[in-house]
Amino acid sequence: MKISIRPENKNDYSTISMVNDMAFGQEAEGKLIEKLRKNKKFIKDLSLVACMGNEIIGHILFFPITIKGNEQEFNTLALAPMSVIPELQGLGIGSQLVEKGIAKAKKLGHESIIVLGHENYYPKFGFKPANTFNISAPFDVPENVFMALEMVKGALSTVEGTVEYPKEFDEV
């Protein structure tokens, strides 16, 4: 199965929402993406689609967030959401999206990523529990599902604080 991954374009918007709705079994993630596109921090090159031929079968979004400490603020990215249509899940499409997204984020100069996700999935890409880096979630969540990735060695070594998501995430 040949999969291509590329940045989204305006013609993809409704299909991206549909793919997320199908993958999550609800409309919250699709609506989140629509709202985040209107945020001035949205980075078009970090909203990627997976295509089989001309058909979009998956999507991933990396969005700028901050980690607020007592003294400082640190910039990072949130990986959220990531989706693959249900009938094609488990075939490595999500892994390709994560790998391409990490590579693109690093190429654009980003140094770290935060994800709230499956404890047995994201560590294969180098994610570790965020508390390893003295980073905490802004809500109550098991430590093993709230993870961070240093794309640049030592990028999180001086970071300490709580992740702050933009208001658009509050509705998910």
Side-chain angles (χ1 to χ4, degrees):
M1 172 177 4
K2 174 117 174 73
I3 304 298
S4 61
I5 297 175
R6 62 169 174 78
E8 70 169 28
N9 64 55
K10 286 183 180 180
N11 297 329
D12 301 330
Y13 292 178
S14 62
T15 306
I16 289 170
S17 290
M18 185 182 68
V19 167
N20 276 275
D21 295 350
M22 290 168 57
F24 288 99
Q26 61 183 15
E27 294 182 358
E29 286 77 9
K31 288 181 177 174
L32 170 64
I33 296 163
E34 291 170 14
K35 290 176 183 175
L36 288 172
R37 275 192 200 103
K38 296 173 186 168
N39 185 308
K40 66 180 192 266
K41 291 186 175 182
F42 181 80
I43 303 168
K44 182 182 163 294
D45 286 343
L46 292 178
S47 184
L48 305 174
V49 293
C51 301
M52 190 165 35
N54 291 325
E55 185 181 346
I56 294 173
I57 57 170
H59 173 259
I60 194 166
L61 176 64
F62 295 84
F63 196 85
I65 58 172
T66 56
I67 301 167
K68 286 199 177 209
N70 292 333
E71 310 276 323
Q72 294 179 290
E73 261 186 36
F74 303 90
N75 294 321
T76 187
L77 294 172
L79 186 172
M82 193 259 294
S83 61
V84 174
I85 60 173
E87 54 268 24
L88 295 176
Q89 291 175 1
L91 300 176
I93 298 162
S95 292
Q96 289 180 56
L97 281 164
V98 173
E99 289 167 355
K100 291 268 180 150
I102 289 170
K104 185 69 170 177
K106 189 172 182 179
K107 185 177 180 182
L108 292 174
H110 298 278
E111 297 183 351
S112 62
I113 300 171
I114 301 291
V115 69
L116 173 62
H118 297 284
E119 64 183 306
N120 297 320
Y121 183 73
Y122 289 98
K124 67 183 173 184
F125 305 105
F127 284 89
K128 298 176 185 169
N131 66 348
T132 305
F133 302 104
N134 296 312
I135 299 168
S136 57
F139 38 74
D140 194 25
V141 63
E143 292 176 351
N144 57 340
V145 299
F146 191 70
M147 296 171 265
L149 170 69
E150 287 184 313
M151 293 183 288
V152 174
K153 188 169 174 54
L156 297 173
S157 63
T158 61
V159 174
E160 187 175 326
T162 302
V163 168
E164 188 172 274
Y165 291 96
K167 66 182 181 331
E168 290 89 348
F169 281 87
D170 294 343
E171 298 164 28
V172 177

